[in-house]
Amino acid sequence: MDLPVGTVTFLFTDLEGSTRRWEEHPEVMPGALARHDEILEQAITAHRGVVYSRMGDGMAAVFGSARDAVAAAVEAQQGLAGEQWPLPLGTLAARMGIHTGEGILVDGHYLNQPLNRCARLMAVAQGGQLVISGTTEPLVRGELGDGVALVDLGEHRLRDLDRPMHVFQVGGGTFAQLRSMSAFPGNLPLQVTSFVGRITELAAIQEALAQSRLVTLTGVGGVGKSRLALQVAADLLPRHRDGAWLVELGSVRDGAQVADAMATAFGLTVPSGAHAVDALVDLLRNKLLLVVVDNCEHLIGAAAELVSTLISSCDSVTVLATSREGLAVSGERIIAVPSLGAPSPHDPPDTVAASAAVRLFIDRAVAVDSAFRLSGANSEAVAEVCRRLDGIPLAIELAAARIPTISPAELAGRLDRRFRVLAGGRRGAVERHQTLRAAIDWSFDLLSPAEQTLLTRLSVFAGGCDLRACEEVCAGGVVEADDVLDLLAGLVARSLVVADHDGPVTRYRLLETIRQYGEERLDPTEADGLRAAHATYYAELAESAFRQAYGPEELLWRQRFAAEGENLVAAMNWAIDTDDADVGLQIGASVLSRFQGGYTVAIPVEPALGLGGAADHRLYPQALTRAAFEAGTNGDGALVELRCTQALEAEQRLGGPSAGMLEAWVSDARGNLEFTYGVFNAAAEHWQEAGEQAFAAGQKAFAALELASAANLRIGTDDDRDAVEAATHALDLARQFCGPATISLARGYLANALVGVDPERARALILESGSDQEEAVQGAAVAARLGDWPLTLQFTRSVIPVLHWQADRPLLLGMFNLSALALADDRPEVAAKLQGAARGIGRAWTAASAGHNESQAVALTSRGYMTDLRREASRRLVARLTEEQLARLRLEGEDMGLDQAVVYAVAQIDDVLTTTRSDG
């Protein structure tokens, strides 16, 4: 049958566990695999499909109708499930993926994009599971027939795809979570282009990572080290329970900030006065994860020192670095990344088409001109372009981006002339870095003056920017503000700027090689002014965020701060370097304020206080209260009082620029100090006062946060009814003036306050809980105080893995103790081990914190009602176990490592909850 074109539907299949079965049962696998293929082929043919490729123990088929594709897959799955397979094999289960897209044939082969999507979709399914894409689902909705269910599995990030894919399961059955990138922690960016070639390199890197915990990819700029590293990280995600993480050093200019950049990547806020390296080691010590440290070459010493520390201190952390040279760390494996293979002169068309360099050229050319095809008329020219560019991926992508305006033959001629001039007529004299530079020069020279200017100005941003920032900072002269979007679109189309859509707004960034090039080409006469404009823009953004981060858009502002962290740090560094108090205080007084949890930006305010003219600046009093809060977190009582006194004096001297809020910020800082000391009654009084002061000043969102926190510290004391009244007022304010995070916080606090006053209302409130971590923690405490053990376990089960990842020992300790209480009656042996594990966690916490609070979670674990709950668990265990049994089991739990304890707790809770659901 002829292969269909136009809108078609692809079906990819793969036999799960086939490699193991071939190793264990080679005598029966050939016959079983033949029968497997027969079942699939019969179903595909019966529904007008065509098997056009075989891939190991799977196959690829294409259909003219989405309905036929799904019907064939359902029939094939039923056939496999109903077959009587040879006894030692068990059931042969195939995972299947279906995706609908445009079928474009070139030399008898479909182009890559829809095939890549279908392959990635199939790869995340489990054996026996059939999944379809969100593109296919509307075409078959209502057409599946009786008894065939369609289950919405939500959006998932799949490897190599530039945006999440909506996935649906066809048919019933319960399967493990899809093996998508969304199933693992991490911050790997979505890739906006497909990955081409590098099969040998991928295998070599994976093998090296299996043998060494530090592998460094080296090679010339633009050779594709970063893209290759990200592909390896995505491929290896299933091997790393705690995910894969990217630490981008390209925009970091000071070796002293390397550890801070890594902390930011992990969302770790390092308190003022603490060392980022120590905080990272503490966070990662028990994690099984892969860290990609990208672009190390300009900070080689600092990067090597940090990586060496992590490798030696964190037994399960693996590092994949990219650099122009190795890090020279003990145990390092270095893999040189070569250019892509380009065809030789006079190669036949089939050989040209199969080369990795040409495949990359075609893929990128089709992306900008869907009508482009490799043909007998242009294959020689395309091959010549790839040879002239030495197979360097970035250079090839820049050249392919020109296909809409120039033919491959013209492209080859222009490149040939440029390189002959550079090399003095001797092609062999052109080194690869010269080749790349020449390719970028050539692309740059073809830009309009406005595009050239915008590209160089974009180099001032650290970590990219959104459209508004680009318009504000880069407009001027030949770059009209109204033209910035069109200019950006042109640069994106030419592969000089990358557009990232993984967020609420599109962000634009330069690859590090292009950013360095742009920085070199930036007009020296405008460089200082441009950096000043950048710093001013982000200073104003910080101040705007401070005014709005407590209101209905709190989550949006947190996301913006997380995205702009590198730019904010760069702006603050500029302020310190140029003695600019205005920028320094705008940022220092605004970033990482009270209750702005979730930010990945930590910028100490103390250095800004000494800038020239700072003492007379309108934000000086506010900055002093921020410094006081920082000092309170570090337990420095003398500095807290000094900064608070100075703030009040400065407010009086400067005439009250804080609109009545300064007293609230002072009370907040003093409350934070008492909280750090563990004096919760005093902290509650200060925060209550701060809430009342904020309310009087009209800042009702901030008032809601302060009043809710004060109420929370009074729960379980003689002030329960006062706590209920205060928490009710805080929740009412939150629902009127705050966003979902603050509402969630206040609702959890109110539920906890209501336990002894109105338990049914308390239960109703926690049943409203969403997936917010803070609310789940409060829900667990409330459920335990209510004596609802299944509900307690549901909450602790949801939050224990998250707290383990965050290394939040106080809350983890609390959740272990609550789980022990919930299990004490029915599974006392398990409960006793969990108590012992909690004791081990507490001991580690005490040693690590050295007398200081490790996190605000101590407010829960140190509370009187938590002590009562721990004692109640012990009382129940004493009644059910002998003294010898209890001591032995607790010791066994205490001797567990943290990872082992978490795995044990989760497994035991899952077993109980499954049994409870079955009985119910």
Side-chain angles (χ1 to χ4, degrees):
M1 293 179 61
D2 292 335
L3 295 177
V5 295
T7 300
V8 299
T9 299
F10 295 98
L11 164 65
F12 278 39
T13 79
D14 179 60
L15 185 59
E16 186 177 61
S18 60
T19 301
R20 174 179 53 80
R21 287 189 171 98
W22 275 106
E23 291 292 328
E24 295 177 354
H25 309 292
E27 71 286 353
V28 295
M29 271 300 288
L33 185 58
R35 179 57 183 151
H36 160 275
D37 291 352
E38 183 181 5
I39 291 172
L40 265 62
E41 287 176 347
Q42 287 177 349
I44 291 168
T45 303
H47 293 278
R48 295 169 288 281
V50 182
V51 176
Y52 69 89
S53 179
R54 297 181 184 275
M55 309 162 293
D57 294 334
M59 58 184 63
V62 61
F63 299 79
S65 157
R67 179 180 179 182
D68 285 342
V70 173
V74 170
E75 183 177 315
Q77 291 284 28
Q78 292 171 344
L80 293 174
E83 182 72 13
Q84 295 295 316
W85 301 101
L87 186 60
L89 288 180
T91 300
L92 294 190
R95 49 185 175 177
M96 299 184 183
I98 292 176
H99 173 64
T100 302
E102 185 179 7
I104 300 175
L105 284 171
V106 176
D107 296 330
H109 300 284
Y110 287 108
L111 289 182
N112 283 336
Q113 189 188 60
L115 306 187
N116 289 340
R117 292 182 175 275
C118 194
R120 295 312 183 201
L121 176 61
M122 179 270 292
V124 303
Q126 305 290 336
Q129 188 176 29
L130 168 60
V131 293
I132 66 176
S133 70
T135 307
T136 302
E137 185 270 339
L139 303 176
V140 299
R141 188 188 304 131
E143 302 288 335
L144 298 179
D146 296 337
V148 181
L150 190 63
V151 182
D152 188 344
L153 301 180
E155 289 195 337
H156 289 263
R157 295 183 61 195
L158 309 185
R159 289 191 296 115
D160 298 340
L161 304 190
D162 60 356
R163 61 193 62 197
M165 177 184 284
H166 206 142
V167 181
F168 296 83
Q169 176 183 308
V170 177
T174 301
F175 298 93
Q177 187 175 16
L178 293 180
R179 292 176 282 204
S180 67
M181 293 177 68
S182 305
F184 299 89
N187 68 339
L188 297 184
L190 289 169
Q191 297 304 309
V192 298
T193 57
S194 59
F195 185 79
V196 177
R198 301 292 198 190
I199 303 302
T200 301
E201 290 88 343
L202 285 172
I205 297 167
Q206 291 187 18
E207 181 180 355
L209 287 169
Q211 299 171 359
S212 172
R213 290 175 46 229
L214 170 60
V215 174
T216 302
L217 307 184
T218 63
V220 66
V223 81
K225 301 184 296 294
S226 299
R227 183 69 175 89
L228 181 56
L230 291 174
Q231 186 68 30
V232 170
D235 287 345
L236 295 182
L237 258 181
R239 301 185 191 176
H240 296 88
R241 177 191 63 234
D242 296 307
W245 300 78
L246 171 64
V247 179
E248 171 57 68
L249 299 183
S251 59
V252 179
R253 291 290 163 266
D254 185 351
Q257 295 176 348
V258 169
D260 292 326
M262 183 173 288
T264 296
F266 283 108
L268 175 63
T269 299
V270 181
S272 176
H275 296 291
V277 175
D278 294 339
L280 282 166
V281 169
D282 193 44
L283 175 70
L284 303 179
R285 194 186 307 278
N286 296 306
K287 302 293 189 295
L288 175 61
L289 54 76
L290 174 66
V291 185
V292 177
V293 185
D294 197 25
N295 290 310
C296 298
E297 52 272 354
H298 61 301
L299 300 166
I300 197 77
E305 184 177 355
L306 176 59
V307 167
S308 178
T309 299
L310 292 181
I311 292 295
S312 61
S313 304
C314 307
D315 293 339
S316 298
V317 170
T318 301
V319 176
L320 178 59
T322 74
S323 178
R324 303 284 175 90
E325 59 180 302
L327 302 186
V329 171
S330 178
E332 177 185 29
R333 290 281 298 273
I334 296 176
I335 295 181
V337 178
S339 297
L340 294 175
S344 301
H346 313 301
D347 275 346
D350 287 349
T351 304
V352 170
S355 77
V358 170
R359 285 164 51 208
L360 177 65
F361 184 96
I362 295 171
D363 186 86
R364 302 307 190 254
V366 170
V368 295
D369 181 1
S370 61
F372 179 80
R373 301 287 182 272
L374 186 70
S375 66
N378 64 20
S379 63
E380 185 175 341
V382 170
E384 178 69 9
V385 168
C386 293
R387 282 195 301 275
R388 288 291 181 196
L389 296 176
D390 284 331
I392 299 174
L394 178 57
I396 291 172
E397 292 186 357
L398 294 175
R402 286 290 170 184
I403 282 300
T405 57
I406 192 172
S407 72
E410 293 171 308
L411 188 58
R414 288 173 177 265
L415 289 175
D416 184 56
R417 287 194 297 274
R418 172 175 289 278
F419 291 152
R420 288 186 182 279
V421 170
L422 282 173
R426 294 178 293 107
R427 175 71 184 97
V430 181
E431 298 291 340
R432 286 184 172 176
H433 71 273
Q434 292 176 295
T435 298
L436 178 61
R437 175 66 186 234
I440 301 175
D441 278 340
W442 178 75
S443 291
F444 186 82
D445 291 344
L446 291 176
L447 298 175
S448 69
E451 288 173 325
Q452 291 178 341
T453 301
L454 180 59
L455 182 67
T456 61
R457 290 176 180 177
L458 284 170
S459 66
V460 76
F461 290 98
C465 63
D466 59 22
L467 176 61
R468 182 174 180 180
C470 185
E471 291 171 335
E472 292 290 330
V473 175
C474 297
V478 296
V479 178
E480 298 285 346
D482 291 341
D483 295 335
V484 167
L485 179 58
D486 289 337
L487 294 172
L488 280 172
L491 294 174
V492 170
R494 292 168 176 82
S495 298
L496 290 165
V497 171
V498 178
D500 291 328
H501 304 290
D502 187 18
V505 297
T506 301
R507 291 183 63 78
Y508 301 92
R509 62 180 174 86
L510 302 176
L511 296 176
E512 180 57 17
T513 302
I514 301 297
R515 196 204 63 75
Q516 292 177 4
Y517 178 90
E519 194 172 48
E520 292 174 6
R521 297 290 297 255
L522 184 63
D523 185 346
T525 63
E526 69 174 20
D528 288 343
L530 192 65
R531 293 189 175 95
H534 171 276
T536 299
Y537 175 81
Y538 283 103
E540 292 173 354
L541 176 69
E543 191 171 2
S544 296
F546 181 80
R547 291 194 298 266
Q548 301 180 62
Y550 301 108
E553 296 184 335
E554 60 188 7
L555 293 182
L556 174 62
W557 282 103
R558 291 179 190 184
Q559 289 176 331
R560 289 197 67 178
F561 261 73
E564 301 292 5
E566 293 177 67
N567 282 311
L568 287 164
V569 171
M572 177 59 103
N573 288 340
W574 184 90
I576 301 300
D577 292 342
T578 60
D579 197 32
D580 190 312
D582 189 42
V583 169
L585 291 181
Q586 276 185 284
I587 296 174
S590 305
V591 177
L592 201 63
S593 307
R594 175 101 168 99
F595 293 112
Q596 289 177 315
Y599 288 13
T600 57
V601 185
I603 304 177
V605 69
E606 280 287 341
L609 299 178
L611 296 176
D616 296 321
H617 194 277
R618 62 185 175 82
L619 289 177
Y620 187 62
Q622 180 178 322
L624 287 165
T625 63
R626 168 89 155 75
F629 192 91
E630 285 178 356
T633 300
N634 296 324
D636 190 339
L639 186 57
V640 170
E641 200 51 43
L642 174 63
R643 294 298 184 230
C644 286
T645 300
Q646 290 174 332
L648 293 170
E649 292 174 349
E651 171 91 346
Q652 185 175 11
R653 174 170 54 84
L654 295 173
S658 65
M661 277 295 292
L662 192 87
E663 290 80 3
W665 295 330
V666 166
S667 297
D668 180 42
R670 286 170 171 162
N672 186 51
L673 175 66
E674 299 294 352
F675 180 88
T676 299
Y677 288 159
V679 186
F680 298 138
N681 287 338
E685 290 176 6
H686 283 300
W687 284 347
Q688 179 73 27
E689 186 177 43
E692 293 170 355
Q693 291 164 335
F695 187 89
Q699 299 296 318
K700 296 180 181 178
F702 185 78
L705 291 164
E706 297 291 293
L707 294 173
S709 299
N712 183 47
L713 295 183
R714 292 194 174 104
I715 296 169
T717 69
D718 293 337
D719 298 330
D720 257 6
R721 292 193 176 276
D722 289 342
V724 169
E725 182 179 350
T728 300
H729 180 41
L731 180 57
D732 289 341
L733 286 176
R735 283 175 168 158
Q736 292 179 66
F737 302 106
C738 300
T742 305
I743 293 172
S744 168
L745 189 81
R747 182 169 56 210
Y749 290 168
L750 176 58
N752 214 343
L754 284 166
V755 169
V757 179
D758 189 345
E760 288 307 311
R761 188 180 170 208
R763 184 190 305 275
L765 283 171
I766 62 171
L767 290 176
E768 294 178 23
S769 301
S771 58
D772 180 81
Q773 172 193 322
E774 175 69 25
E775 199 165 13
V777 168
Q778 290 294 329
V782 172
R785 296 179 69 202
L786 292 171
D788 188 332
W789 309 133
L791 187 56
T792 302
L793 293 174
Q794 287 180 31
F795 281 119
T796 60
R797 170 61 180 88
S798 71
V799 82
I800 281 175
V802 178
L803 298 174
H804 175 44
W805 159 251
Q806 295 174 342
D808 196 331
R809 292 184 179 91
L811 277 186
L812 193 59
L813 182 155
M815 295 304 101
F816 265 71
N817 279 320
L818 293 181
S819 300
L821 173 58
L823 295 168
D825 289 339
D826 295 334
R827 301 199 181 187
E829 294 86 357
V830 173
K833 285 188 178 182
L834 293 181
Q835 274 196 334
R839 184 183 300 170
I841 294 169
R843 188 173 61 247
W845 166 28
T846 301
S849 59
H852 297 290
N853 285 322
E854 189 178 54
S855 77
Q856 293 187 351
V858 72
L860 176 71
T861 56
S862 301
R863 308 298 296 284
Y865 62 78
M866 287 296 292
T867 301
D868 292 340
L869 292 173
R870 289 197 298 271
R871 288 172 177 167
E872 176 61 18
S874 295
R875 186 189 65 77
R876 294 180 182 223
L877 290 177
V878 167
R880 287 162 177 78
L881 299 170
T882 67
E883 184 177 344
E884 181 182 353
Q885 286 177 312
L886 184 55
R888 175 178 55 80
L889 290 166
R890 282 174 171 169
L891 186 59
E892 289 178 11
E894 191 171 354
D895 288 342
M896 289 183 185
L898 184 57
D899 284 342
Q900 183 184 357
V902 168
V903 170
Y904 176 78
V906 168
Q908 294 298 325
I909 294 171
D910 281 345
D911 186 54
V912 171
L913 292 176
T914 300
T915 303
T916 302
R917 284 193 290 267
S918 299
D919 293 344

